[in-house]
Amino acid sequence: CNALTSVTIGNSVTSIGGYAFENCKSLTEVYCYATTPPDIYSLTFIGTKFFKQLYVPKGCSSAYKSSKWNDYFNTILEMEE
């Protein structure tokens, strides 16, 4: 997945397995439409850049910032409605 730069995660996703985005070195943006942060594992984003942005639903950034998602994303932004 070296060419993968962006990922969209639907609002019905509740978990993402380990190694799902392993070594996706070009990944810079993730859009997650789930209002509750899906469970992720310690190796879900292994080998990706830390300097990537996570976009989440309006009003949900604090939930993502207090979850494991914050370990992988230096910027968590709320999407416009």
Side-chain angles (χ1 to χ4, degrees):
C1 63
N2 289 332
L4 184 66
T5 60
S6 178
V7 171
T8 300
I9 299 167
N11 62 0
S12 63
V13 174
T14 58
S15 68
I16 301 171
Y19 302 103
F21 299 104
E22 178 184 17
N23 292 323
C24 294
K25 297 186 186 312
S26 298
L27 184 62
T28 57
E29 296 180 322
V30 174
Y31 295 83
C32 187
Y33 287 88
T35 54
T36 299
D39 291 331
I40 59 173
Y41 301 91
S42 60
L43 302 174
T44 299
F45 291 98
I46 191 77
T48 63
K49 295 179 182 178
F50 177 71
F51 297 104
K52 54 191 172 295
Q53 296 180 331
L54 173 64
Y55 296 91
V56 300
K58 193 168 191 94
C60 298
S61 63
S62 60
Y64 279 84
K65 287 178 182 177
S66 63
S67 72
K68 286 186 181 180
W69 288 83
N70 198 52
D71 295 344
Y72 293 101
F73 293 88
N74 63 313
T75 305
I76 299 175
L77 303 168
E78 293 185 358
M79 294 181 268
E80 296 297 320
E81 293 183 296

